[in-house]
Amino acid sequence: MCGIVGYIGNRKTEEILLDGLKELEYRGYDSAGIALLDNEKIDVFKALGKLKNLKEKVNTYHDYNIGIGHTRWATHGKPTELNAHPHLGEYSYVVHNGIIENYKEIKESLQEQGHKFVSQTDTEVIVHLFESFNNESNDAKEAFQRTIEKLEGAFSILLISKCDPSKIFFFKHGSPLIVARGNEEGEVLFASSDAPLIGLANDVVYLEDGVGGVASATSIEFFSDNYSWSTLPTSKQYAQKDGFRFFMEKEIYEQHDVVTDAMLGRLGENEITFDEFDASIIEGIEEIKICACGTSYHAGLTASYLFERLSQTRCSVEIASEFRYKEPLLSDKTLFIVISQSGETADTLEALKMATKAGLKSIALCNVDNSSMTRVANHTVLTRAGIEKGVASTKAFSTQTVVLWMMALYFGQYKQVLSNEKINDELHALREVPKSLIVDDKIHEKTKRLSKRYLHGHGFFFIGRDVFFPLALEGALKLKEISYLHAEGYPAGEMKHGPIALADPELFTIALMPQNLLYDKIKSNVEELSARDSTICSISPLDFELSDDFIKTQKTNHYMLEFFEMLVALQLLSMEISVRLGNDVDMPRNLAKSVTVE
Ligand code: F6R
């Protein structure tokens, strides 16, 4: 949520910053801005909306050697140019990712001292606070440190100032920030994630919370010893669209490959193994608790059925933002698993910190290596989905689900609660998963045709039972976030307890009807809806005469294979509806890829 970049060096500063922001744009695209500094002057450029608007504005005829940039997902204050970062005091600029929780009281006290504020943001207090301290002591480093001490909340900050024009001050608390030594002499770079740095730098520090410092072309000074240098991966895996219309489409088509990667070295001939943790971690554990947000939460809900079924361990799943404040009773007989594509989601990260502080064993299932969660959890398991750029998560979900399924089986093996035959059946099904994720051209064509029919109406219900209930939730979320149509995921058996009152021809029901799990039960539920005139689109390998529309999936012998095939159909359907509505598929309104504020 929000992305920040910084640069000190002799290359074209504005180009480095704009290229870096391009890599971070998925984190927020309400506005973008850069501030450029040399010994003589500060220039700033800001634009509303996507980065291309900023690029059109930036025309410099000056050799700057320091700059900071920001791409915004609005938290405090509407997306306007005045609220866009960098924020200015009298002679300093700041970019910030996070939320300053005590900004109101700081702002009031600064206003009493005569400081004038022009934006509605929380961020603007940082730069005024800094200048107020600097005016007192005329010592920029001390002023920056005093500023940090006053701030509460989550904040990764880069600050430049004419009072010390050869330096960038930096600090990380809560939101991610990386410092890098550039490949050229006298270069220092900053970014919210690896992507903008790849190709420009090799040595990086992934800043820990509470660590800050000040950098110039010749030195990087850290305010504490709590940092270490590591090497940035050199394989520049910039996700390109490879001929697809959208990153989302490319990522849907990639699922077959990335799921194969996710299983490599883990799915053996006769058993599951994980190098990252030993199955004996389950010893003495009475419950697995999963915590996550959004799509990752849906993967967790799916896994709860698999953990209970395959490892005979009680499993509960919590939405991280709810978990944090419910004063949960935590027992050290609980294994705590967080699931997160980014590894940075603020609520999930805080939940993980709470659990580890309470002494629970923890596993982070993440896609982004070196992300904050991987550094807090006792064990990290990577999903290996590769960079996911579409804001609507697709391949992250399929890899999460397959890894969780393998974990459930891993524990089941260890606890010896499964027969050899059952283990073999599960292993066999797992080997078939990549095939079930190959996009079937006929299904893709069908979703394109169906998309025309589903642009009106008063809403969608996605219904399913068992693991197909979380899949229904995921289908509804995909549709909501990129088509802006109202959709709900619901357990099929619950419809008659209220929502069926909504049924009429303008209510579209997307029914997940697997052959291998509770087919007769879901069939009855769909019949009830059809009898009340709801328009039914069923997804199933079995013909269903009451369907108004039908997406036919393959016959298989395992419900999880049906799960993955239906997942692809749901992803395609939501994407095609979004295309038909003319929406921005990869960057839907109001959203950001990485939600680093609570
Ligand atoms: C939906 C989506 C979000 C994320 C959620 C958690 O398509 O992408 O719902 O799943 O914000 O993000 P991570 O997995 O990065 O913790």
Side-chain angles (χ1 to χ4, degrees):
M1 184 129 322
C2 299
I4 59 182
V5 289
Y7 179 71
I8 303 176
N10 296 319
R11 298 191 224 201
K12 275 201 142 298
T13 306
E14 61 277 21
E15 279 177 20
I16 301 267
L17 295 180
L18 289 170
D19 289 350
L21 289 178
K22 186 75 211 145
E23 293 297 328
L24 299 178
E25 197 178 12
Y26 66 92
R27 299 171 69 94
Y29 35 84
D30 287 332
S31 63
I34 56 174
L36 302 159
L37 171 68
D38 73 358
N39 285 328
E40 296 161 29
K41 59 176 197 156
I42 295 186
D43 278 325
V44 67
F45 300 91
K46 294 185 186 189
L48 262 189
K50 305 229 170 97
L51 193 67
K52 65 178 177 30
N53 301 341
L54 177 66
K55 275 192 173 156
E56 281 165 15
K57 279 191 168 180
V58 177
N59 47 357
T60 62
Y61 307 98
H62 195 82
D63 285 336
Y64 301 95
N65 42 29
I66 288 200
I68 54 176
H70 187 271
T71 176
R72 179 168 189 246
W73 186 81
T75 56
H76 291 70
K78 284 182 186 291
T80 61
E81 217 169 286
L82 263 188
N83 287 336
H85 300 221
H87 285 284
L88 168 74
E90 258 180 69
Y91 50 83
S92 318
Y93 272 97
V94 71
V95 290
H96 162 222
N97 176 12
I99 289 179
I100 309 295
E101 285 174 353
N102 58 339
Y103 83 100
K104 276 204 178 111
E105 57 207 71
I106 298 177
K107 188 168 176 176
E108 276 160 23
S109 108
L110 287 165
Q111 277 168 330
E112 277 165 27
Q113 293 169 35
H115 286 261
K116 296 263 180 292
F117 286 80
V118 293
S119 79
Q120 301 148 330
T121 67
D122 51 340
T123 303
E124 200 182 352
V125 298
I126 302 171
V127 74
H128 286 278
L129 201 53
F130 168 78
E131 290 187 352
S132 134
F133 290 133
N134 191 59
N135 294 346
E136 272 172 44
S137 65
N138 203 17
D139 180 337
K141 179 173 146 190
E142 187 199 296
F144 184 71
Q145 285 173 315
R146 286 177 71 191
T147 303
I148 296 303
E149 275 165 28
K150 286 271 182 208
L151 303 179
E152 287 169 17
F155 42 93
S156 282
I157 295 171
L158 297 178
L159 183 144
I160 54 176
S161 177
K162 266 172 111 174
C163 68
D164 208 345
S166 58
K167 292 179 180 152
I168 293 183
F169 294 89
F170 59 93
F171 195 83
K172 182 220 185 253
H173 181 67
S175 309
L177 186 61
I178 304 169
V179 186
R181 275 196 207 107
N183 292 340
E184 289 192 357
E185 189 74 23
E187 267 188 334
V188 180
L189 295 102
F190 297 87
S192 301
S193 80
D194 282 349
L197 304 172
I198 294 174
L200 296 174
N202 290 330
D203 301 327
V204 295
V205 175
Y206 295 93
L207 291 172
E208 297 292 338
D209 280 349
V211 178
V214 51
S216 69
T218 49
S219 76
I220 303 174
E221 179 193 347
F222 292 89
F223 297 152
S224 75
D225 294 337
N226 187 16
Y227 71 92
S228 58
W229 288 93
S230 42
T231 308
L232 195 66
T234 47
S235 72
K236 190 165 175 163
Q237 243 201 344
Y238 280 123
Q240 299 301 342
K241 287 187 197 152
D242 290 347
F244 289 97
R245 294 168 295 169
F246 315 104
F247 282 113
M248 182 183 180
E249 186 174 41
K250 172 178 175 253
E251 287 157 7
I252 293 171
Y253 274 77
E254 262 173 14
Q255 292 182 104
H256 153 267
D257 290 330
V258 293
V259 154
T260 307
D261 290 345
M263 296 196 295
L264 260 183
R266 293 169 176 163
L267 174 60
E269 255 319 282
N270 303 310
E271 59 176 8
I272 298 288
T273 44
F274 277 93
D275 291 339
E276 299 87 341
F277 66 102
D278 197 89
S280 59
I281 196 176
I282 200 77
E283 202 77 64
I285 291 295
E286 287 175 359
E287 185 192 12
I288 295 174
K289 190 177 273 298
I290 297 178
C291 217
C293 301
T295 287
S296 297
Y297 168 74
H298 299 155
L301 266 186
T302 308
S304 68
Y305 292 84
L306 300 171
F307 277 120
E308 299 218 343
R309 209 163 268 160
L310 297 177
S311 65
Q312 295 193 7
T313 312
R314 212 167 45 237
C315 181
S316 62
V317 193
E318 308 236 16
I319 291 176
S321 54
E322 289 299 312
F323 172 81
R324 284 178 67 184
Y325 298 105
K326 69 188 279 200
E327 299 176 27
L329 295 177
L330 296 174
S331 141
D332 59 8
K333 293 196 169 60
T334 301
L335 172 63
F336 198 77
I337 302 181
V338 287
I339 308 171
S340 175
Q341 188 285 128
S342 60
E344 301 293 351
T345 300
D347 285 316
T348 313
L349 179 60
E350 286 310 313
L352 173 62
K353 286 182 186 165
M354 276 169 68
T356 47
K357 200 164 160 208
L360 274 64
K361 294 180 195 166
S362 60
I363 298 179
L365 179 62
C366 292
N367 191 35
V368 179
D369 198 6
N370 287 314
S371 56
S372 300
M373 283 178 220
T374 67
R375 281 175 281 132
V376 175
N378 301 135
H379 306 276
T380 294
V381 176
L382 294 177
T383 46
R384 306 176 184 158
I387 297 173
E388 188 180 64
K389 287 214 161 179
V391 163
S393 192
T394 52
K395 60 179 181 167
F397 179 78
S398 44
T399 49
Q400 287 165 348
T401 308
V402 86
V403 173
L404 289 160
W405 180 8
M406 288 191 291
M407 274 190 196
L409 199 51
Y410 187 45
F411 290 141
Q413 274 167 203
Y414 180 83
K415 289 176 77 177
Q416 300 187 331
V417 291
L418 300 171
S419 66
N420 285 343
E421 196 190 347
K422 177 73 179 159
I423 294 180
N424 280 334
D425 286 351
E426 294 295 304
L427 292 173
H428 179 73
L430 275 161
R431 276 182 219 112
E432 298 294 308
V433 172
K435 241 198 267 166
S436 63
L437 284 162
I438 292 176
V439 176
D440 177 335
D441 288 345
K442 276 200 226 117
I443 291 188
H444 196 168
E445 275 313 309
K446 184 85 192 240
T447 58
K448 279 184 189 164
R449 269 182 283 129
L450 286 181
S451 66
K452 286 185 234 166
R453 303 182 53 169
Y454 289 103
L455 305 177
H456 57 94
H458 58 71
F460 286 76
F461 266 90
F462 288 68
I463 59 168
R465 301 184 74 123
D466 201 278
V467 291
F468 294 87
F469 161 51
L471 184 60
L473 289 173
E474 177 57 11
L477 178 62
K478 287 290 87 84
L479 186 68
K480 271 186 277 216
E481 62 186 334
I482 58 174
S483 73
Y484 321 142
L485 295 171
H486 182 236
E488 268 189 75
Y490 228 76
E494 272 292 294
M495 290 298 285
K496 57 176 144 327
H497 297 286
I500 203 165
L502 290 164
D504 67 16
E506 295 294 295
L507 179 79
F508 303 136
T509 300
I510 311 289
L512 306 178
M513 304 178 70
Q515 177 188 15
N516 292 292
L517 197 71
L518 301 172
Y519 181 77
D520 290 336
K521 303 279 174 207
I522 177 97
K523 190 164 167 248
S524 311
N525 300 140
V526 182
E527 279 164 0
E528 288 154 11
L529 279 152
S530 172
R532 283 149 187 93
D533 276 345
S534 170
T535 299
I536 310 287
C537 173
S538 58
I539 309 184
S540 179
L542 304 178
D543 294 332
F544 178 54
E545 64 283 4
L546 296 179
S547 296
D548 298 284
D549 288 310
F550 185 45
I551 298 178
K552 194 172 175 75
T553 51
Q554 299 288 320
K555 289 197 173 157
T556 63
N557 55 8
H558 198 293
Y559 64 94
M560 284 306 290
L561 298 176
E562 297 189 73
F563 177 99
F564 286 110
E565 207 189 332
M566 288 185 192
L567 168 68
V568 175
L570 293 174
Q571 293 167 337
L572 292 169
L573 184 64
S574 61
M575 182 181 77
E576 293 305 338
I577 292 177
S578 171
V579 173
R580 190 76 63 177
L581 290 166
N583 296 345
D584 187 335
V585 170
D586 283 332
M587 293 191 203
R589 71 186 185 199
N590 304 340
L591 296 177
K593 184 74 187 159
S594 178
V595 186
T596 53
V597 292
E598 69 168 296

